Amino acid sequence: MTAPDLLIVENLVKRYDGILASDELSLTIRTGELHAIIGPNGAGKTTLIKQLTGEISSDGGSMSFDNRNLRRLTEAGRSRIGLARSFQITSLFQDFTALENVMLAVQAHKGHSFRFWKKAAENDALTHPALDILLQMGLETSKDRRVSSLSHGEQRQLEIAVALATRPRLLLLDEPMAGMSTEDSTELMATLRDLKNHYTILLIEHDMDVVFSLADRITVLVYGRAIATGTPEEIRNNADVRQAYLGEEG
Amino acid sequence: MNWLLMLEQVLNGFQLGLLLFLLAAGLTLVFGIMDMINLAHGSLYMMGAYFCATFTGWTGSFLIGAVLTLPAVFLLGIVVEVIALRSLYARDHLDQVLATFGLILFFNEATRLIWGPIGLSIPLPAFLNQTVEIIPGAPYPTFRLAIIVVGCLVAALLYYIVSKTRLGMLIRAGASNREMIGALGINIKLLFTLVFGLGAALAGLAGLMAGPILSVEIGMGESILILTLVVIVIGGIGSIKGAFIAAIIVGLIDTVGRSFLPEILRLILSDDSAATAAPAISSMLIYLLMALVLAIKPQGLFPPKGVGR
Amino acid sequence: MKLTTRGIINTILFVFLGSLPFLTDWMGDSFYTGLTSRILILAIAATSLNLLIGYGGMVSFGHAAYIGIGAYVVGIGAFHAFEDGIDWMLNGYVQLIAALLASALIALIIGAISLRTHGVYFIMITMAFSQMLYFTAVGIETYGADDGLTIYARSDMLGLIDLNDEKSLYYLIFFSLVFVLYFMHRLIGSEFGAVIRGSRSNEARMRAIGFSPYKYRLVAFVIAGTIAGYAGFLMANLSDFVSPSILHWTRSGDLIIMIVLGGIGNLFGPLYGAIAFVMLEELLSSIPLTIGGLSVGEYWQLIFGPLLIFVVLYARNGIDSFLPGARKNHDGA
């Protein structure tokens, strides 16, 4: 009895001036699992995420999330039905504080924001959930610091915090550990292990130790195609995968 | 419908369009390659007219005056670029808008200081001051014909430079990917300065050709600048082809629209209302066109490749 | 409220502005009351524009159009009351509501189209639309066209305030400014303000977390335009005259200069900027220097132009850079 499919991607196609970034890409994500996507550079991992969130359009294929056709929704619309993303290259609100960053994400999912008079900073409905998430990510002591003054590791954590604040059903994490020190990575690993229990996660990562210890299932992407999907054990023993990764750390 | 009048207006429309193209080409080049919005482009147009008036006065010949004006404005453009504009390339658009706005104030005032507040006139030689019958019964001013001819020649020349020469290749590459040309080891500073100078010369040419027909006065740059901006927005910023097509369209609509709108309006409204509304609506036509284009294609009709993905 | 040096300077300024009419009375010269009235009206308009430029990152180069709309409503009302005897058109409340509605509506239309564009396109399209309104004003003969419209009677506020009294008008303007500043302060700190500022900071992320910036920006655009329309209403009553030049895109440029001079994205910046702008103009044009037979004062823009370039290049945060507690970096638009 496997969990129901939350995300179904079928034959996704994306062309960039003759180059096929996504080549009939198909994969499914089951509710509750942590599904990792691995593959050599240029395999189209981030392109996949961008198409899922709606940042770029697709040239073919379908994406269905919780039985909803994603291609009918705008980027903001997809966020509102529970699709959240953290960015590979940190994309935060630089002149806002850490708390304000998370509050904005909370605010986005609390109906409309056409409120002109009351101070947002004094709105408990925004500050309390935001503080909870900062606490969860270990950032509560930095809450009043501007993003520009946070360390790289803290910014990467804030990246995820902002995504979490949108109360997602599916978390798309694009290389959350990019550029992190070993110490910060270990801390983030622990956080991810905890998040696993509460969210369905699509994880893109280069660090194989992380992938193999956290993932329930792994899909291997090469030249825009999914060449194999399976448990970490199955992937480790897959001949095609070994061949694709010749020369890379296994 | 007076067909001869229509023909005359269409030709006038072409003529305005070509003038606008000369201005738009320079502005869109500077924008496309250096990502700089230069409001003082109109000032270079004005200087073209003023220089030509002065040189014509000194030498007694419009043609010599025109020939002298071109390198003069080219040099002026280069001086302005080196002294004031270089540091703006890296800045954001707001800074560029403000700084070039400051340049406009400076140019207007300096012109007033040197030439006085009253406008000038540019006397034309006899052969440019007549009419010619392009079709029997349809006399058309030779000077305006000359503008059309010169405009087309320059357009052809620009087309040749942009598509067939090395400089043109750099320009096209720069318009779609600025970082690349730097990475290729091209002397960016020199390229930028040359492009700016070229744009200035084109503006100056437009100025000296417009001078005899419109008046040579302070502030003439600002009025035509807006129209030029509309042209490059419609055509697509950074695209010379877009600038050409948009300029012709704008020139035609503005001229033909302005002359026939009162008649058209009279069909729907009373004579009085038509007379009041016509000038107001004529002015609006171009902007309505721009709004329409932007609603359908926000990047303009022919954006350079790599833009607007 | 913390007692900062900045706060003290602001307080002193407001106390000074609040008591100005009495000071000029004592000095016996009311020229400065009129001048300051003008400065404060410009400050109101610039503050509304700062919502767009400073906080929202939307560089609108056509804001003067809304001032013009407000002013023309007053002018047209006075005209018809005078020429055609339509008395209710002189009613200040009717004029005020008409001015606010007209500027709001036109801001809505222009904003709806312009906000679909970004960056330079936005700058240029806002510039172009305001020019369109300029030419419309120039084209209407009845209301004076190029020569403008003299206003023979100020808005009749039905006894509540007498706009013909210099002091009363001054205080209306002064308290309007205070209210606009306070409103702006609340707006910036509100949820709406957070969306506007967030959209400027990182539009891509705003979309990713579920916001559609367009509709919020449109509302901001309309709010700013309406406030500017109110400034125009005041302006017409102050100068008893309205002409198309009030709508020219270079006037929009003046507003942007004021914002930059005073410090972008700073609540009181536009006020300081307006003061600086007008005072500079007054000062430079009255320099009693003559070089080589030419009066320096007459050609003040010769200095002002390069001065502006200098400020843009080196004193980017405007007056803000020189005040204590200045922000370190400048967030470009």
Side-chain angles (χ1 to χ4, degrees):
Chain A
M1 266 142 326
T2 47
D5 293 334
L6 185 57
L7 178 71
I8 303 174
V9 177
E10 274 175 336
N11 300 323
L12 202 62
V13 177
K14 178 65 189 175
R15 253 174 241 111
Y16 280 118
D17 272 339
I19 298 178
L20 222 46
S22 298
D23 182 5
E24 307 270 326
L25 171 52
S26 298
L27 66 88
T28 58
I29 312 272
R30 297 191 193 129
T31 313
E33 72 170 347
L34 189 148
H35 193 122
I37 309 256
I38 62 176
N41 276 325
K45 306 189 290 292
T46 301
T47 309
L48 168 63
I49 299 247
K50 286 187 180 179
Q51 288 177 82
L52 285 173
T53 58
E55 192 180 324
I56 60 181
S57 60
S58 310
D59 295 315
S62 70
M63 298 174 283
S64 124
F65 177 73
D66 196 26
N67 280 321
R68 313 263 283 266
N69 181 354
L70 280 184
R71 292 179 75 175
R72 287 238 182 84
L73 297 168
T74 61
E75 211 179 326
R78 297 183 204 190
S79 168
R80 272 181 255 130
I81 60 169
L83 208 61
R85 168 191 178 186
S86 79
F87 287 65
Q88 178 185 7
I89 301 174
T90 310
S91 173
L92 295 166
F93 303 102
Q94 291 291 322
D95 18 302
F96 287 44
T97 64
L99 181 61
E100 287 167 345
N101 266 266
V102 181
M103 276 170 64
L104 250 183
V106 173
Q107 189 184 318
H109 286 248
K110 279 211 178 315
H112 70 83
S113 287
F114 287 106
R115 293 184 187 90
F116 306 94
W117 195 259
K118 185 171 175 201
K119 293 202 168 143
E122 290 167 7
N123 187 349
D124 287 344
L126 296 179
T127 50
H128 286 175
L131 279 168
D132 283 340
I133 292 182
L134 283 177
L135 200 62
Q136 192 179 4
M137 296 298 296
L139 288 169
E140 73 280 5
T141 47
S142 314
K143 69 179 172 72
D144 290 323
R145 287 170 52 200
R146 289 244 174 109
V147 168
S148 37
S149 72
L150 295 175
S151 72
H152 179 76
E154 286 172 317
Q155 290 189 17
R156 296 305 290 157
Q157 283 174 302
L158 188 57
E159 258 295 316
I160 300 180
V162 170
L164 285 181
T166 61
R167 296 191 300 191
R169 306 202 22 237
L170 174 59
L171 251 184
L172 305 168
L173 301 178
D174 195 349
E175 299 195 37
M177 308 214 179
M180 267 191 170
S181 65
T182 339
E183 198 182 305
D184 289 332
S185 295
T186 323
E187 203 181 312
L188 189 55
M189 262 272 273
T191 310
L192 287 178
R193 215 182 282 282
D194 180 53
L195 287 176
K196 250 185 81 154
N197 298 327
H198 306 285
Y199 301 97
T200 309
I201 300 178
L202 173 62
L203 172 71
I204 294 182
E205 240 323 310
H206 273 307
D207 187 334
M208 289 303 139
D209 291 330
V210 171
V211 170
F212 277 84
S213 77
L214 283 179
D216 296 316
R217 288 197 304 159
I218 300 174
T219 293
V220 183
L221 224 62
V222 177
Y223 290 135
R225 259 180 178 274
I227 63 168
T229 301
T231 64
E233 201 53 42
E234 290 164 4
I235 294 297
R236 215 194 299 266
N237 297 325
N238 187 307
D240 294 328
V241 174
R242 286 243 192 79
Q243 196 179 46
Y245 268 97
L246 242 150
E248 308 235 1
E249 312 174 22
Chain B
M1 172 73 74
N2 185 341
W3 292 109
L4 289 179
L5 183 62
M6 176 69 134
L7 176 64
E8 188 186 339
Q9 292 306 327
V10 167
L11 282 174
N12 284 347
F14 260 106
Q15 172 233 306
L16 175 62
L18 286 164
L19 271 180
L20 284 175
F21 168 65
L22 291 175
L23 280 164
L27 197 59
T28 208
L29 267 182
V30 166
F31 200 98
I33 304 184
M34 287 101 97
D35 193 27
M36 181 164 87
I37 177 171
N38 174 22
L39 294 182
H41 198 67
S43 302
L44 293 166
Y45 162 85
M46 177 179 75
M47 297 321 294
Y50 269 90
F51 281 171
C52 187
T54 307
F55 293 146
T56 307
W58 287 349
T59 63
S61 157
F62 170 71
L63 287 178
I64 301 182
V67 165
L68 287 175
T69 303
L70 289 176
V73 182
F74 178 76
L75 279 171
L76 177 64
I78 294 191
V79 165
V80 167
E81 196 259 355
V82 170
I83 298 183
L85 298 179
R86 272 223 173 133
S87 15
L88 287 177
Y89 294 142
R91 301 296 204 102
D92 62 40
H93 294 136
L94 177 60
D95 289 355
Q96 294 171 352
V97 156
L98 287 172
T100 52
F101 186 70
L103 266 181
I104 293 180
L105 297 179
F106 175 77
F107 270 113
N108 280 346
E109 212 59 350
T111 305
R112 191 160 76 95
L113 185 66
I114 302 175
W115 282 280
I118 311 177
L120 304 178
S121 65
I122 304 183
L124 291 174
F127 79 93
L128 282 178
N129 215 359
Q130 316 166 318
T131 61
V132 134
E133 297 213 342
I134 39 176
I135 304 179
Y140 195 68
T142 45
F143 187 69
R144 289 179 183 256
L145 264 179
I147 294 182
I148 295 181
V149 168
V150 171
C152 286
L153 280 175
V154 173
L157 184 66
L158 267 178
Y159 172 73
Y160 176 76
I161 293 180
V162 168
S163 36
K164 311 274 187 220
T165 67
R166 190 171 145 75
L167 174 66
M169 180 199 71
L170 291 174
I171 288 177
R172 273 180 296 137
S176 31
N177 193 333
R178 209 162 297 115
E179 287 84 28
M180 252 324 235
I181 43 176
L184 291 173
I186 309 291
N187 186 344
I188 290 290
K189 278 203 179 145
L190 187 61
L191 178 67
F192 283 10
T193 306
L194 276 178
V195 169
F196 193 83
L198 175 64
L202 287 171
L205 176 62
L208 73 90
M209 289 206 295
I213 327 178
L214 313 171
S215 34
V216 178
E217 57 187 4
I218 299 170
M220 63 191 283
E222 281 76 276
S223 10
I224 202 130
L225 177 70
I226 288 283
L227 220 51
T228 312
L229 289 176
V230 170
V231 165
I232 71 177
V233 165
I234 293 180
I237 295 183
S239 161
I240 298 211
K241 170 171 129 186
F244 184 76
I245 297 179
I248 300 293
I249 296 178
V250 168
L252 282 171
I253 291 189
D254 193 61
T255 316
V256 175
R258 228 174 258 275
S259 39
F260 289 100
L261 193 64
E263 251 184 71
I264 300 175
L265 280 183
R266 241 174 259 132
L267 294 173
I268 329 172
L269 306 169
S270 71
D271 273 4
D272 264 349
S273 316
T276 334
I281 300 188
S282 313
S283 322
M284 283 202 245
L285 287 176
I286 301 300
Y287 304 102
L288 291 174
L289 174 67
M290 179 183 71
L292 192 65
V293 168
L294 285 178
I296 309 174
K297 280 195 116 198
Q299 304 286 356
L301 293 175
F302 301 100
K305 266 200 169 179
V307 171
R309 195 177 286 286
Chain C
M1 274 234 302
K2 286 187 292 187
L3 200 66
T4 58
T5 324
R6 207 178 263 262
I8 297 177
I9 297 178
N10 288 338
T11 314
I12 296 177
L13 178 66
F14 274 93
V15 167
F16 173 71
L17 288 174
S19 42
L20 187 85
F22 297 102
L23 290 172
T24 58
D25 266 354
W26 176 67
M27 280 191 336
D29 180 0
S30 73
F31 166 72
Y32 287 101
T33 308
L35 179 70
T36 314
S37 296
R38 186 168 151 244
I39 293 179
L40 297 186
I41 292 177
L42 289 172
I44 292 176
T47 301
S48 69
L49 183 57
N50 200 19
L51 171 65
L52 300 180
I53 297 187
Y55 295 104
M58 302 170 260
V59 183
S60 166
F61 219 101
H63 211 60
Y66 308 105
I67 303 179
I69 291 171
Y72 262 99
V73 165
V74 174
I76 292 175
F79 175 81
H80 283 295
F82 211 76
E83 295 280 316
D84 306 325
I86 309 178
D87 286 333
W88 61 265
M89 279 201 161
L90 198 57
N91 182 320
Y93 301 99
V94 170
Q95 285 182 352
L96 178 60
I97 294 181
L100 295 177
L101 279 178
S103 30
L105 184 63
I106 299 198
L108 180 65
I109 298 175
I110 293 183
I113 303 175
S114 312
L115 286 168
R116 290 191 191 281
T117 64
H118 278 88
V120 182
Y121 289 96
F122 180 74
I123 298 178
M124 301 207 278
I125 192 177
T126 48
M127 197 190 276
F129 274 126
S130 87
Q131 268 313 83
M132 182 173 110
L133 290 170
Y134 168 79
F135 285 124
T136 310
V138 167
I140 304 186
E141 287 294 332
T142 337
Y143 299 129
D146 235 333
D147 298 324
L149 198 55
T150 310
I151 299 174
Y152 294 104
R154 294 188 183 176
S155 310
D156 180 9
M157 305 308 283
L158 301 178
L160 192 63
I161 316 172
D162 179 15
L163 295 183
N164 290 294
D165 175 40
E166 197 176 49
K167 256 210 206 84
S168 304
L169 180 58
Y170 178 86
Y171 279 112
L172 173 63
I173 297 171
F174 175 71
F175 285 112
S176 298
L177 175 65
V178 170
F179 177 71
V180 167
L181 283 169
Y182 185 63
F183 173 68
M184 198 59 62
H185 169 71
R186 299 295 306 210
L187 194 65
I188 295 304
S190 71
E191 286 185 29
F192 177 80
V195 177
I196 294 297
R197 286 182 301 126
S199 303
R200 176 195 185 199
S201 179
N202 188 338
E203 198 177 332
R205 200 62 200 263
M206 287 300 277
R207 264 188 259 277
I209 58 178
F211 279 118
S212 308
Y214 176 77
K215 49 188 184 191
Y216 294 95
R217 286 181 154 162
L218 183 54
V219 171
F221 199 83
V222 172
I223 292 178
T226 311
I227 296 178
Y230 177 60
F233 169 86
L234 294 171
M235 181 76 93
N237 278 298
L238 178 69
S239 31
D240 297 317
F241 179 73
V242 59
S243 83
S245 63
I246 204 182
L247 290 143
H248 200 254
W249 69 269
T250 45
R251 298 283 76 74
S252 297
D254 290 348
L255 287 174
I256 300 183
I257 294 175
M258 288 176 218
I259 293 177
V260 171
L261 278 181
I264 286 196
N266 207 306
L267 185 61
F268 294 100
L271 171 58
Y272 284 103
I275 295 175
F277 184 82
V278 176
M279 296 312 296
L280 259 174
E281 184 179 354
E282 286 292 310
L283 264 157
L284 288 177
S285 55
S286 51
I287 294 180
L289 262 183
T290 320
I291 303 180
L294 292 163
S295 151
V296 171
E298 216 192 307
Y299 296 99
W300 67 276
Q301 287 190 354
L302 211 55
I303 305 175
F304 190 72
L307 180 67
L308 182 60
I309 300 178
F310 175 84
V311 168
V312 166
L313 291 179
Y314 302 112
R316 192 51 183 80
N317 280 333
I319 291 181
D320 192 73
S321 335
F322 306 114
L323 285 183
R327 281 154 11 137
K328 266 168 274 131
N329 40 7
H330 118 72
D331 312 310

